[in-house]
Amino acid sequence: MNWAERHLVVDGCATHYLEAGDGPPLVLLHGGEYGAAAEITWEHCIPALAAHHRVMALDFVGYGHSDKLRDFGGQRRLMLRQVSGVLRALRIESAYFIGTSLSGRMLLDVANKPAPVWPIRAMAVAGIGLAAPAEAARKVLEDFDGTLAGLRPSMDVLFHDPRWRDSEEYLRRRYDFCAIPGAWETAAAGSLRSPMRRGENRPHVRPPARDYGGIAVPTCLIRGEHDRLVPDGTWRELAAQIPGAVAVTVAGSGHYPQIERAAAFTETVLDFFKQEGS
């Protein structure tokens, strides 16, 4: 292991995170699929990133080893408060951020506000386009019955390289994170619908903002060449909206280039952050 395990309780919520390195703070945020967590998302990137930054990779509430909490009025709102609370407790007033998939969308939405609630100095966002993720692929990720066999189809959606997509060992590692007490229940609760709200859009699948032209922080958009969730066209449409955005395609990767092509991914983000003054 190339990091320290940390736990921090803020506003009654316990957050687990991994910390390594020294230098300008860099916050790593993971995706929202079953089995997502800081460790399994960023383990191959942390050593290289920590050579230049103080890296903090957080487990969102409901994931990994953080508290298993659900806000039925809006889970993303709870996640926003969680990250804000951690940064406040650690007295971090400015940080670089990397988000992927779910957290990538959150970064875009936060940065697009006139007064962002996170102190984003610059950000790299992977696995996100202007439109919502491709519906057929997204449904595969959402349809998980809690069994090892039920998790296997998600591997075809997330990964392109057979070393990851077809790995039984890696599948079992992801399943272990799904099996942490409360993890499946917290995620599955997002599909519950009140009889009084039938017919409405699910609260955890929100349409993206129509215009990301309000983003003023330096932004690098990264897409895996074979991402089944994010078509190339919608990714390029997003890049065209953000002033000065840098768009980079990682060859030979699916939805998670930080896992399948970690060296290329970290080289891309470190070069970008260096240009932005880190």
Side-chain angles (χ1 to χ4, degrees):
M1 287 174 47
N2 299 286
W3 53 74
E5 302 264 354
R6 310 286 193 205
H7 287 86
L8 182 64
V9 179
V10 180
D11 299 329
C13 174
T15 295
H16 169 263
Y17 65 100
L18 312 177
E19 185 173 21
D22 193 16
L26 170 58
V27 179
L28 307 182
L29 301 173
H30 59 75
E33 78 280 2
Y34 284 97
E39 178 180 330
I40 206 164
T41 302
W42 300 111
E43 59 188 341
H44 302 292
C45 296
I46 288 176
L49 295 174
H52 304 272
H53 291 269
R54 177 191 176 188
V55 175
M56 290 155 287
L58 278 61
D59 282 337
F60 279 127
V61 289
Y63 293 87
H65 301 290
S66 289
D67 275 352
K68 305 301 181 286
L69 303 175
R70 185 91 207 176
D71 182 345
F72 286 96
Q75 187 70 356
R76 293 192 189 190
R77 181 175 57 194
L78 177 58
M79 294 173 174
L80 288 169
R81 293 200 306 267
Q82 175 197 14
V83 175
S84 295
V86 169
L87 297 180
R88 182 178 68 251
L90 296 176
R91 299 183 179 180
I92 294 174
E93 298 180 352
S94 178
Y96 295 86
F97 283 76
I98 305 177
T100 180
S101 198
L102 167 73
S103 62
R105 179 71 70 200
M106 293 174 66
L107 276 170
L108 292 173
D109 289 342
V110 167
N112 201 36
K113 300 292 185 182
V117 296
W118 295 344
I120 304 172
R121 180 174 178 180
M123 63 182 182
V125 174
I128 283 295
L130 184 62
E135 183 176 6
R138 189 187 72 235
K139 285 183 176 179
V140 173
L141 297 182
E142 295 173 348
D143 184 19
F144 173 52
D145 62 3
T147 67
L148 183 66
L151 188 64
R152 187 169 282 108
S154 69
M155 303 288 278
D156 290 330
V157 170
L158 295 174
F159 301 106
H160 172 74
D161 190 331
R163 291 181 299 170
W164 301 97
R165 185 191 65 213
D166 302 335
S167 170
E168 190 71 17
E169 178 183 358
Y170 185 67
L171 171 65
R172 290 183 177 277
R173 282 196 66 211
R174 293 188 70 85
Y175 183 76
D176 286 343
F177 280 98
C178 295
I180 293 174
W184 184 90
E185 293 88 342
T186 306
S191 64
L192 294 176
R193 304 298 294 156
S194 164
M196 294 170 285
R197 299 178 60 194
R198 286 174 181 165
E200 296 181 15
N201 290 329
R202 288 166 297 171
H204 65 297
V205 182
R206 297 176 178 173
R210 289 177 294 177
D211 183 3
Y212 283 112
I215 293 178
V217 301
T219 303
C220 178
L221 299 174
I222 302 173
R223 177 182 179 271
E225 179 185 15
H226 304 284
D227 192 336
R228 291 182 55 190
L229 284 156
V230 183
D232 183 71
T234 187
W235 177 69
R236 294 190 182 278
E237 289 172 354
L238 173 62
Q241 282 197 355
I242 302 174
V246 174
V248 179
T249 299
V250 177
S253 170
H255 188 59
Y256 278 158
Q258 78 279 2
I259 297 174
E260 293 183 274
R261 296 291 184 267
F265 183 91
T266 53
E267 181 180 2
T268 295
V269 297
L270 286 172
D271 286 348
F272 175 73
F273 289 153
K274 183 177 180 181
Q275 293 172 11
E276 300 305 325
S278 68

